[in-house]
Amino acid sequence: MINITVLKPIASAISRELFHSIILLLLLSFFVFFLLYNAPGEEVFQRYLESHSELNSTDSHNLFYIYFIWLSACVTGNLGTSLINGLPVLDQVIENLGYSISLILHALLITVPFVILNISMGFKNTLNPISTIISVILNILAVVPIFWLSYVAIYISSTRFNYLPVGVSPDSLSYLEMLLPVSLLSIGSGVLIHITQHTKSELFRVLKEDYVLYARAKGAKVYKHVIKEGIIFPLLHLMTHQVAYLFSTCIIIEQIFNWPGIGRLLWQATQDRDIPLLLGAVLATAFIIRLTQFCSKIIYIILNPRASHE
Amino acid sequence: MPKIVRPQQNDRLLSLIHHMKDIGIRNSFYFFYSSIIILALIVGYFFSYFEYLPFDPEDLNLDYILSPPLTDDHLLGTDYLGRDTFSRLILGIEAYLAPSILAVIIAICFGTLMGIASIFSHKRVTRTLSMVNDSLLAMPKLVLLFLIIAIFDPTIFYIMIVIGISNIPSVAQLLTAKIDLLKERSFIDSAIASGISYHSIILKHILWSNCRVILFSQSAFIMGEAILMEASLSYLGFGVQEPTPSWGNMVQSGSNYLLQGDLWSSTIPAFAIMLVISAFYLLSYTISRVLEKGK
């Protein structure tokens, strides 16, 4: 029997979050469209209107009128066709987005064993020399420009040790091929060291709380009381906040490894001034980032129903 | 003779050398490291401004293609066209230093305004501002820059304005969280009771005496990020274009030869980027640690 009184605030919080996300995406799409509308020299916007199947018949130059038609086309999935190859934008974006998401997801998941390792090292001795050395090295690698780091990694792994494939074939992705880009994305962007250090400091803050002391005093197992607030929530929070940053870094990594993801699509579209494709890719990226934030918020509310009251 | 009681010095950054013991060996090392690098950066900027360089940075010399450091007069070697790396490195400072200061000023000024406005105004304004913040945060910075570049084809100054705008939400969120805690404290109430105007309470009591740590450390952080962003854009081919040197496009042109084993021409600008960015990040870290400790 499900208790309705527990579910009701959760449902209202979820609907509030959904409303918030929709307003946010509307604001963002208007912002993007407003930028395009104000493009210098008229012809950029004009060419975009002519390429779009639902906008080329409008005579009006009213911004809000055109935006409304464009938005309704976007919602139904018509993002226009590419200026260069004439293919529909949505298909290209969805095809490329999958590769980027797998890259980013693995880069985030690779931090979990490091977090566990770091915490287990910290419990025994706060000033562990091995973990200090590792964190110094990772901190330095996070500041090194990622484009140089990737080239050096490719150079060392392929020409010296001759064991990792450099080119990636999109049809058959193996974990061996993903190892180098994923680990570089995780280490070189500094996400790995950021997440491990902040989770550890958060856990140690929670361990000093009064309720943990009480749990210790009555002889309960501490990790049961700590694992939710000390590890899962900070991990969830930190990971979702890094997704936008990882999309930025992804562009460089995909450029170097010829990875057929959204970053390469964005780069190619910018190079060609292919506005419809670029606009579709930008909106898809923003949508994915907002979706991850929405999902993490919902997971947080379900795990911690107190947060639904706000 | 009566003992003179000195007022406690709040501004520890100025008297840093005398307070080595208070600050700790690690923080003072970070501070000296970052100040040396930043000083070298400023000196290099003036050298390039007055064109006082050892070689002409665009002068081709085919006898010295891809030579390692310390060959003859070339201190840091040459690139794939035989141009002197050291001169190009110094001239490359011009590409980002002044523009990224612009980015910092925009991010700090508007971030402060937004942070104050979202605390001290009507609830609806607060909600709208947080919406705008969230929508800016949902856009990756490099993706936003790509959009601006494709539509407007801007110069480096406009790119830096966009980088500044994209950093506004982080400053505003930090300030909002801090001021939210501060406005409950009793010293604000007593300041209002003693008849001090709201302007000076906000500027003096809140911003200067309690939030300047955040503002200083954030400005150093944004500076580092703007430099990294410029290098990434130049690497990807959208920033400074080829004959004019920038550290990003120096790494890019050198990396074509890296897989053949000629490491130096891309490693040296990459290390320069690393040194400068780590200097700014460590400065930001030290400021927040040292000044916060004084409270």
Side-chain angles (χ1 to χ4, degrees), chain B residues 5-258:
Chain B
V5 181
R6 281 190 169 176
Q8 205 194 353
Q9 268 189 328
N10 281 324
D11 219 333
R12 286 177 182 237
L13 204 63
L14 295 176
S15 52
L16 198 79
I17 302 157
H18 306 295
H19 288 276
M20 277 277 266
K21 230 193 264 172
D22 294 1
I23 292 158
I25 279 293
R26 205 170 70 160
N27 283 335
S28 47
F29 168 71
Y30 288 165
F31 183 75
F32 280 122
Y33 167 78
S34 50
S35 54
I36 285 168
I37 297 284
I38 291 165
L39 207 68
L41 205 65
I42 293 166
V43 170
Y45 180 74
F46 281 109
F47 270 84
S48 76
Y49 186 77
F50 295 112
E51 295 185 0
Y52 193 74
L53 303 170
F55 287 88
D56 184 6
E58 290 175 21
D59 190 23
L60 311 183
N61 190 349
L62 298 182
D63 299 335
Y64 291 102
I65 285 178
L66 292 169
S67 55
L70 297 175
T71 38
D72 294 351
D73 289 341
H74 297 283
L75 188 63
L76 294 177
T78 54
D79 69 352
Y80 71 110
L81 288 172
R83 297 174 292 194
D84 184 41
T85 306
F86 185 58
S87 313
R88 287 174 70 75
L89 213 59
I90 290 176
L91 197 66
I93 296 172
E94 253 182 22
Y96 64 77
L97 194 67
S100 45
I101 288 172
L102 182 72
V104 171
I105 289 170
I106 285 174
I108 292 294
C109 288
F110 287 94
T112 312
L113 274 181
M114 218 158 164
I116 291 171
S118 63
I119 289 286
F120 294 107
S121 50
H122 195 262
K123 212 174 177 184
R124 278 183 193 158
V125 180
T126 309
R127 243 179 235 166
T128 321
L129 284 178
S130 81
M131 277 287 188
V132 173
N133 266 355
D134 283 357
S135 63
L136 267 175
L137 281 176
M139 194 82 117
K141 282 164 190 164
L142 218 49
V143 174
L144 181 67
L145 281 174
F146 273 21
L147 189 71
I148 300 284
I149 286 167
I151 293 175
F152 294 102
D153 200 9
T155 59
I156 184 73
F157 278 95
Y158 288 102
I159 288 174
M160 283 297 172
I161 287 173
V162 176
I163 290 175
I165 289 170
S166 67
N167 273 309
I168 287 173
S170 60
V171 179
Q173 278 183 350
L174 280 173
L175 268 186
T176 312
K178 180 86 182 176
I179 297 173
D180 226 8
L181 289 176
L182 279 177
K183 71 173 185 181
E184 306 292 327
R185 297 253 299 267
S186 54
F187 76 96
I188 300 290
D189 290 336
S190 62
I192 293 170
S194 61
I196 302 171
S197 69
Y198 283 103
H199 291 113
S200 63
I201 289 175
I202 288 174
L203 286 178
K204 218 165 119 190
H205 292 76
I206 291 178
L207 270 187
W208 177 248
S209 53
N210 285 301
C211 294
R212 66 165 174 219
V213 180
I214 292 176
L215 294 181
F216 285 154
S217 71
Q218 274 296 302
S219 50
F221 188 80
I222 292 167
M223 186 84 184
E225 207 178 72
I227 292 169
L228 184 63
M229 216 48 114
E230 195 277 330
S232 308
L233 274 182
S234 294
Y235 170 78
L236 290 167
F238 298 119
V240 179
Q241 295 301 322
E242 218 327 296
T244 318
S246 135
W247 293 1
N249 66 28
M250 283 167 79
V251 175
Q252 200 270 333
S253 66
S255 63
N256 298 330
Y257 301 91
L258 199 144

Side-chain angles (χ1 to χ4, degrees), chain A residues 79-140:
Chain A
L79 287 167
T81 52
S82 164
L83 291 179
I84 301 297
N85 54 18
L87 294 170
V89 169
L90 192 69
D91 298 351
Q92 296 183 57
V93 167
I94 286 173
E95 191 192 331
N96 285 316
L97 207 55
Y99 290 106
S100 286
I101 288 173
S102 79
L103 201 61
I104 287 168
L105 211 61
H106 285 93
L108 285 176
L109 286 180
I110 216 174
T111 58
V112 175
F114 276 86
V115 168
I116 293 166
L117 202 71
N118 194 19
I119 286 168
S120 59
M121 272 176 154
F123 269 124
K124 283 171 193 156
N125 186 2
T126 20
L127 273 174
N128 194 325
I130 299 169
S131 74
T132 314
I133 290 168
I134 290 174
S135 79
V136 166
I137 290 171
L138 285 178
N139 264 318
I140 291 172

Side-chain angles (χ1 to χ4, degrees), chain A residues 71-84:
Chain A
L71 189 70
S72 54
C74 280
V75 171
T76 54
N78 183 4
L79 287 167
T81 52
S82 164
L83 291 179
I84 301 297

Side-chain angles (χ1 to χ4, degrees), chain A residues 14-32 67 71 75 283 286-287 290 293-294, chain B residues 124 127-136 138:
Chain A
I14 288 173
S15 63
R16 194 174 57 222
E17 273 301 310
L18 198 64
F19 177 71
H20 188 81
S21 297
I22 288 169
I23 295 282
L24 231 148
L25 284 175
L26 282 180
L27 207 72
L28 213 123
S29 66
F30 182 73
F31 171 68
V32 168
Y67 170 70
L71 189 70
V75 171
L283 287 178
F287 179 75
R290 195 57 219 165
Q293 284 171 359
F294 174 71
Chain B
R124 278 183 193 158
R127 243 179 235 166
T128 321
L129 284 178
S130 81
M131 277 287 188
V132 173
N133 266 355
D134 283 357
S135 63
L136 267 175

Side-chain angles (χ1 to χ4, degrees), chain A residues 236-247:
Chain A
L236 198 67
H237 183 80
L238 287 165
M239 279 182 177
T240 44
H241 272 253
Q242 295 300 322
V243 170
Y245 178 61
L246 279 175
F247 262 107

